[in-house]
Amino acid sequence: MRRFRAVWIIVLLFLLFTGIPGAVGYYTDWLWFREVGFQSVFATELLAKIGLFVVAALVAYFFITFNGKYAASGVSKAPVLWRVSPELPPVDVAHNLAKIVTPIGIVLALFFGTIAASSWMEILQMLNHAAFHVSDPVFGRDIGWYVFVLPALSTIIGLARGLVIISLILSLFMHLLRGRVTLPPQRVGLQSPADHHIAALLVGFLLLTAIQIWLVRLPELLYSTTGPLVGASYTDLHANYPALHIIAFTALIGAVLVIYGMLRQKIVWFTFLSFIGYVAVSIVVGGLFPWAMQRFIVAPTELTREAPQLKSHIVATRAAWGLDKVEMRDLTGDAKLTIDDIRANSATVQNVRLWDRDPLLQTFGQLQEIRTYYDFKSIDDDRYMVNGRYRQVLLSPRELNSESLPQLTFINQHLTFTHGMGLTLGPVNEVTSEGLPVLFIKDLPPVSNVSLKVTRPQIYFGELTKEYVFVNTHQAEFDYPSGEQNVTAHYTGTGGVRVGSFLRRAMFAIRFGALNVLLSGDITSDSRVLYNREIEERVKMALPFLSFDEDPYMIVAGNGELKWMLDGYTTTDRYPYSQRLTDGTSYMRNSVKVIIDAYTGSIDAYILDPSDPIVETYSKIFPGIFKPISAMPADVRAHMRYPTDLFAIQSTLFATYHMDAPESFYHREDQWQTPATGDQADTEQRFMRHIVMKLPEEKNAEYIFMAPFTPKGKDNLASWMIARNDGANYGKLSVYRFPKQSLVYGPRQIKSRINQDTDISRELTLWDQRGSEVIRGELLVIPIEEALIYVQPIYLRAQGGKIPELKRVVVAYQNQVVMAETLEAGLARLFGGNVPQTADSVVTVAGAKPDTTKRLVVPAISPSSAISEAQDHYDRAMEAQRAGDWAAYGREIKALGEVLSRLRNSR
């Protein structure tokens, strides 16, 4: 009775600590999936896992227990007996061990069921796969067979072989205990019925081995790395290919030998002969023969032997990574820029990004975080129509970081401080008289002095929203600070799950591990709980079969609402002959764009590339979760960007795979690389830039993603690659290539010229000696017509200060380098004449030299915003006066005068 109670206690404890939390997790996950409208993903995965688990577990259970009980049954002439005590009769060990076959079968069945359930996606892909309509060059199969069918076949055959091996071991052990296996010093052998039983299992294993070789190992030659490429090499096709056939036939011959040995009652001997033969053939034919061919036949004439395979590798890699659609354009290399060219490309000049992400993020943090619990996580590039003009901007959402709250209480973290507030947005190239960025949208609540407005600034879902929160409670939600008072808000969105009944509330308490959820009087049945709010976590939970770009970005929709855009990738590591990344990925498409509403948390997934077979397969598995790209609102679609991670991979691969001739590819005679400057900050993505520019032979400026290349081991520029982002041209890739005989200075050479310029070096050194820190911005490569200019912003940060100020701009063209107070002034010095300003009104800084007049962009503003800005300068001037900081006081009064002057001129 006590043992019975102990068992029940153990079961109850198991349910309490694992079963109940697991069930609660599934139920609350279901509520979440239903809320976001992706319940089909949850249900399909769950049902597929349960179905595969049940089928695999039942098959494994019946197969294992049948073989185990068959081996333990029957009568044996010499069973293994165990005498526990001289007073007790001997015990038939095998007869008693037969009683544990069932529990052993259950445990092993659970193991096989778990493995099968984990392969649910492979099985569903096999059953719903789409065709690539591209055949591999060796077997002539559609690529879809390798991507969708081969992985499932490998799993199924692997499980079957594992099941046979385990049954063979268990059965052999049982027969041994029944005395049907004779061991030395007697003649090794098997007695009936052990010989027939073991022979059947051995034959099954050898047949499965042959099937595995033909259906799995042979096709996997197309992923080989034997030669100088990924894919079946010369040795694979002429040595490993026939060797695998021979090994498969050896396995079949071994099966015949086992059957023959059973009939001749010499099964052990013939089984041993089969094993030795299989191992010998595998070593000699499958190992030594391919090695000898590679070493003595292929290696001395590798290029000649591997040329056809290299061609297949190049074609497959370009197709798998979308490089076969890159348009190559040759530049003359002798273009000479004039002031007329600069004026004709004013849209490019007026959108040169003078603010680097890191200095700007520091500036935003100091000027616009407002309170300690607000954070700017990152800076994003985008473009907007601002006051009727196409402008490139930098923006950063102002998110609430709950870890920085003054008091980390349940009410503060989960009921009161529930959301961030708005964003800061400004042009990429405008600067105030203090060297600070001009801001189009700023402050709390967000105030805009341009046509771009934010109407719903609350950010309930973002990159820093890691905590769950309850809304529509008795506790007022903090919205934003206003002087000494705090403005509160009430959530009116549809996001989150309704708390509802006491039982559901208890389940949320268990999920979050917070008893306060159950006890709080502020939470009602009408309250809503928002969880899985971090956008990357949220989208990966809703679409677990996709991978996502590491750079999600916020956009301001046409109605002023804030939304997040994420780039979803379909990937596989099973594309034959294609070059792989370090994680094995050999194919990638940006087939899905995901939009998450920052207020409601709604998720909308749009198919960008319906020709992608992988996303087509997912659409069949999960019908209804994707929308066509045509359904995306036009104001949102206008902010689609070519994804950063994909462009970085494509540009890196294209540096080698632009060579499509096997001879050139093998010798790497025209290989490119990402430019290097010798800095520790050099990375593959360092020179990748979003730019608004007019491409050669195009009429209008557009928003592009650009990456330059230099020849491998050289510093001069070889080419530059772009991805287009606007309208019907979205996703088009082009490469502009300079003639090999021309010399176009690269970033390292320009950097050296800047460092060697005595005037620039003297001025920068003088600043450093005065206690200020000089920060050199990123060196920008700006294509104009068929030539290039280089631009480098120079920031100055006071000793002990945290706000970098833009003070100078270095401009370089060919072998000329100048440093001026503005980009326009630098271009004017290089090319002569006047360069169009980025705004109509210009402020001249007093005391500046005539050729280095600092022109500051003065955007048109309304009287109310001008008065607000004047008040800010006045307040800072008074603070500086009280602190005795007369230099800061002078700057603020001067800035106040400029604002008043702008206000007067606007009337």
Side-chain angles (χ1 to χ4, degrees):
M1 192 66 179
R2 291 180 178 176
R3 292 181 179 177
F4 182 76
R5 290 178 178 175
V7 171
W8 273 109
I9 291 174
I10 293 173
V11 171
L12 290 173
L13 289 175
F14 175 81
L15 291 175
L16 180 63
F17 290 104
T18 60
I20 293 177
V24 167
Y26 270 105
Y27 177 70
T28 52
D29 280 346
W30 164 253
L31 294 175
W32 183 87
F33 274 95
R34 191 174 63 177
E35 176 238 328
V36 297
F38 284 76
Q39 59 268 36
S40 64
V41 175
F42 180 88
T44 300
E45 178 179 352
L46 182 61
L47 293 176
K49 285 182 175 179
I50 292 175
L52 288 172
F53 178 87
V54 170
V55 171
L58 287 176
V59 171
Y61 172 76
F62 285 114
F63 192 82
I64 292 171
T65 54
F66 170 79
N67 284 280
K69 289 184 177 181
Y70 179 80
S73 65
V75 179
S76 177
K77 298 179 181 179
V80 176
L81 303 176
W82 180 32
R83 187 178 294 276
V84 181
S85 167
E87 294 80 13
L88 299 175
V91 177
D92 187 340
V93 176
H95 178 73
N96 286 276
L97 285 177
K99 298 177 181 179
I100 67 170
V101 169
T102 296
I104 290 175
I106 292 174
V107 172
L108 293 174
L110 294 175
F111 173 73
F112 277 95
T114 302
I115 294 177
S118 66
S119 303
W120 67 278
M121 181 55 78
E122 293 178 356
I123 302 301
L124 291 182
Q125 285 182 332
M126 180 182 69
L127 297 176
N128 297 274
H129 74 276
F132 276 70
H133 302 294
V134 177
S135 300
D136 79 88
V138 177
F139 300 101
R141 293 191 181 104
D142 186 86
I143 299 300
W145 188 89
Y146 296 91
V147 174
F148 303 119
V149 179
L150 181 57
L153 285 178
S154 178
T155 299
I156 293 170
I157 296 174
L159 285 173
R161 293 180 78 233
L163 191 59
V164 172
I165 291 174
I166 289 176
S167 298
L168 178 62
I169 295 172
L170 178 63
S171 300
L172 193 60
F173 181 66
M174 287 296 179
H175 283 302
L176 175 65
L177 296 178
R178 295 299 288 166
R180 299 172 186 142
V181 180
T182 56
L183 300 174
Q186 302 179 31
R187 180 183 177 183
V188 178
L190 294 174
Q191 299 178 6
S192 180
D195 53 352
H196 291 73
H197 186 198
I198 299 302
L201 291 173
L202 285 172
V203 169
F205 176 74
L206 290 171
L207 290 176
L208 286 171
T209 299
I211 292 172
Q212 184 190 47
I213 291 173
W214 278 319
L215 292 184
V216 178
R217 291 182 61 186
L218 273 173
E220 285 183 344
L221 287 177
L222 274 61
Y223 309 119
S224 171
T225 55
T226 301
L229 64 142
V230 175
S233 65
Y234 183 91
T235 299
D236 291 317
L237 297 176
H238 295 85
N240 284 319
Y241 180 83
L244 286 173
H245 279 291
I246 294 172
I247 293 171
F249 279 114
T250 302
L252 294 180
I253 294 172
V256 173
L257 289 176
V258 170
I259 296 174
Y260 180 76
M262 177 194 68
L263 297 176
R264 294 290 303 272
Q265 296 184 348
K266 295 181 180 180
I267 185 173
V268 175
W269 166 249
F270 280 96
T271 299
F272 178 74
L273 184 64
S274 300
F275 174 75
I276 293 299
Y278 183 84
V279 171
V281 170
S282 298
I283 293 174
V284 175
V285 179
L288 294 179
F289 174 52
W291 174 84
M293 178 174 285
Q294 179 67 29
R295 177 65 181 84
F296 299 109
I297 297 178
V298 177
T301 56
E302 189 172 52
L303 177 56
T304 303
R305 304 281 183 179
E306 299 288 12
Q309 292 70 244
L310 282 171
K311 184 65 176 179
S312 297
H313 170 65
I314 295 169
V315 170
T317 299
R318 289 169 63 92
W321 292 100
L323 304 179
D324 55 338
K325 299 178 182 178
V326 176
E327 182 180 355
M328 298 291 292
R329 298 187 180 184
D330 291 322
L331 302 173
T332 60
D334 56 2
K336 302 295 183 182
L337 288 182
T338 66
I339 191 63
D340 291 333
D341 294 321
I342 300 298
R343 290 169 178 163
N345 288 268
S346 59
T348 301
V349 174
Q350 293 171 6
N351 285 283
V352 172
R353 198 183 85 184
L354 298 181
W355 286 104
D356 290 352
R357 293 173 184 262
D358 289 342
L360 188 61
L361 189 62
Q362 296 174 32
T363 302
F364 280 2
Q366 291 299 311
L367 300 181
Q368 285 292 306
E369 281 184 358
I370 313 296
R371 296 287 177 90
T372 57
Y373 40 76
Y374 286 126
D375 271 344
F376 293 104
K377 184 177 185 291
S378 61
I379 301 289
D380 291 316
D381 277 281
D382 207 343
R383 72 287 197 197
Y384 288 85
M385 291 300 295
V386 178
N387 293 340
R389 297 176 58 200
Y390 192 63
R391 302 297 302 274
Q392 184 176 351
V393 301
L394 293 169
L395 61 92
S396 184
R398 184 185 291 103
E399 296 199 56
L400 189 140
N401 187 349
S402 60
E403 296 178 357
S404 300
L405 291 172
Q407 296 287 333
L408 297 179
T409 64
F410 174 79
I411 291 178
N412 277 353
Q413 287 185 283
H414 305 293
L415 274 68
T416 302
F417 293 91
T418 58
H419 58 272
M421 175 56 65
L423 76 167
T424 298
L425 181 149
V428 295
N429 65 332
E430 297 188 15
V431 59
T432 68
S433 59
E434 300 169 319
L436 300 176
V438 169
L439 301 178
F440 289 160
I441 301 177
K442 61 180 180 178
D443 298 339
L444 289 173
V447 176
S448 172
N449 54 23
V450 294
S451 58
L452 187 63
K453 307 294 182 182
V454 176
T455 59
R456 195 171 65 184
Q458 290 82 5
I459 302 174
Y460 283 87
F461 300 86
E463 295 183 273
L464 298 178
T465 49
K466 302 183 184 301
E467 295 286 346
Y468 65 91
V469 297
F470 289 86
V471 295
N472 298 343
T473 66
H474 292 315
Q475 184 70 32
E477 292 181 58
F478 171 80
D479 202 27
Y480 61 89
S482 178
E484 299 298 325
Q485 303 296 321
N486 290 332
V487 177
T488 59
H490 181 78
Y491 185 74
T492 59
T494 58
V497 177
R498 185 173 177 271
V499 172
S501 66
F502 178 82
L503 179 60
R504 183 184 287 187
R505 185 168 171 176
M507 289 186 176
F508 284 125
I510 294 174
R511 178 188 178 98
F512 302 132
L515 186 60
N516 285 331
V517 173
L518 198 61
L519 301 179
S520 175
D522 292 321
I523 301 174
T524 70
S525 60
D526 291 327
S527 299
R528 305 184 73 85
V529 55
L530 281 56
Y531 53 108
N532 299 328
R533 296 194 300 144
E534 196 271 319
I535 56 172
E536 291 189 60
E537 173 195 10
R538 191 172 183 83
V539 74
K540 287 178 180 178
M541 190 168 179
L543 301 166
F545 42 85
L546 298 179
S547 56
F548 291 90
D549 196 270
E550 294 183 356
D551 186 25
Y553 57 99
M554 175 169 280
I555 64 172
V556 182
N559 59 2
E561 296 178 356
L562 302 180
K563 299 180 184 295
W564 294 95
M565 185 172 287
L566 297 89
D567 290 286
Y569 300 119
T570 53
T571 62
T572 182
D573 58 358
R574 309 296 294 182
Y575 199 104
Y577 269 105
S578 175
Q579 181 63 32
R580 306 184 195 125
L581 304 182
T582 54
D583 63 357
T585 302
S586 56
Y587 172 96
M588 178 182 284
R589 287 291 185 274
N590 175 216
S591 296
V592 179
K593 296 284 187 180
V594 180
I595 305 299
I596 299 180
D597 192 293
Y599 188 78
T600 66
S602 62
I603 303 173
D604 293 299
Y606 300 90
I607 293 182
L608 179 66
D609 184 5
S611 65
D612 174 30
I614 298 182
V615 81
E616 183 181 349
T617 299
Y618 289 145
S619 297
K620 293 179 180 179
I621 297 173
F622 309 104
I625 66 170
F626 294 115
K627 301 177 182 179
I629 194 64
S630 58
M632 181 184 288
D635 59 312
V636 174
R637 190 172 180 178
H639 296 282
M640 290 197 311
R641 293 185 338 196
Y642 200 83
T644 302
D645 293 346
L646 179 58
F647 188 64
I649 295 169
Q650 288 178 316
S651 59
T652 301
L653 288 173
F654 197 78
T656 300
Y657 288 89
H658 69 277
M659 299 176 286
D660 54 5
E663 296 79 8
S664 301
F665 181 87
Y666 181 82
H667 294 299
R668 299 294 198 271
E669 60 186 45
D670 190 25
Q671 188 170 5
W672 301 336
Q673 67 179 15
T674 301
T677 62
D679 295 341
Q680 293 182 351
D682 280 343
T683 63
E684 291 182 353
Q685 298 187 22
R686 183 177 183 186
F687 287 96
M688 289 170 47
R689 295 286 182 274
H690 287 98
I691 306 174
V692 171
M693 63 169 290
K694 184 173 74 70
L695 294 171
E697 302 177 359
E698 296 290 340
K699 295 181 179 179
N700 300 317
E702 58 185 285
Y703 187 63
I704 67 162
F705 207 0
M706 180 260 197
F709 296 112
T710 62
K712 184 74 172 179
K714 300 296 181 71
D715 293 331
N716 59 290
L717 215 64
S719 61
W720 42 281
M721 183 176 187
I722 61 108
R724 304 174 77 172
N725 293 278
D726 289 347
N729 291 321
Y730 177 87
K732 292 182 179 180
L733 301 176
S734 299
V735 169
Y736 293 84
R737 181 170 51 188
F738 293 104
K740 293 182 180 180
Q741 67 272 16
S742 66
L743 174 61
V744 179
Y745 289 114
R748 186 194 291 268
Q749 295 166 320
I750 294 297
K751 179 186 174 185
S752 298
R753 288 192 170 274
I754 294 173
N755 293 336
Q756 293 166 6
D757 187 282
T758 55
D759 293 334
I760 296 175
S761 298
R762 180 172 56 252
E763 190 163 357
L764 297 184
T765 302
L766 183 62
W767 278 340
D768 271 331
Q769 292 175 349
R770 291 178 176 176
S772 298
E773 178 187 3
V774 175
I775 303 173
R776 296 194 181 197
E778 297 174 353
L779 187 60
L780 307 175
V781 184
I782 310 297
I784 296 182
E785 299 298 339
E786 293 194 5
L788 298 171
I789 63 171
Y790 287 86
V791 176
Q792 184 177 42
I794 303 296
Y795 308 96
L796 194 63
R797 181 164 55 195
Q799 188 173 15
K802 297 183 179 180
I803 304 179
E805 299 176 0
L806 178 61
K807 290 299 183 183
R808 293 291 187 273
V809 179
V810 176
V811 187
Y813 170 65
Q814 293 183 345
N815 60 352
Q816 305 173 65
V817 179
V818 300
M819 184 170 73
E821 294 192 7
T822 66
L823 172 62
E824 292 82 359
L827 291 172
R829 291 177 59 186
L830 280 177
F831 300 103
N834 295 320
V835 179
Q837 302 293 309
T838 55
D840 295 332
S841 53
V842 174
V843 175
T844 302
V845 177
K849 296 179 180 180
D851 61 345
T852 58
T853 299
K854 185 172 185 179
R855 294 174 173 85
L856 302 173
V857 174
V858 186
I861 58 174
S862 63
S864 60
S865 59
I867 293 172
S868 176
E869 185 177 351
Q871 183 67 48
D872 291 340
H873 286 300
Y874 175 81
D875 292 341
R876 285 198 289 267
M878 293 300 98
E879 291 177 3
Q881 183 186 47
R882 288 191 291 270
D885 187 353
W886 298 108
Y889 175 81
R891 288 196 301 270
E892 294 297 337
I893 293 297
K894 181 179 178 181
L896 173 60
E898 292 169 355
V899 173
L900 295 176
S901 176
R902 290 163 55 192
L903 181 61
R904 181 179 64 253
N905 293 335
S906 64
R907 293 181 177 178

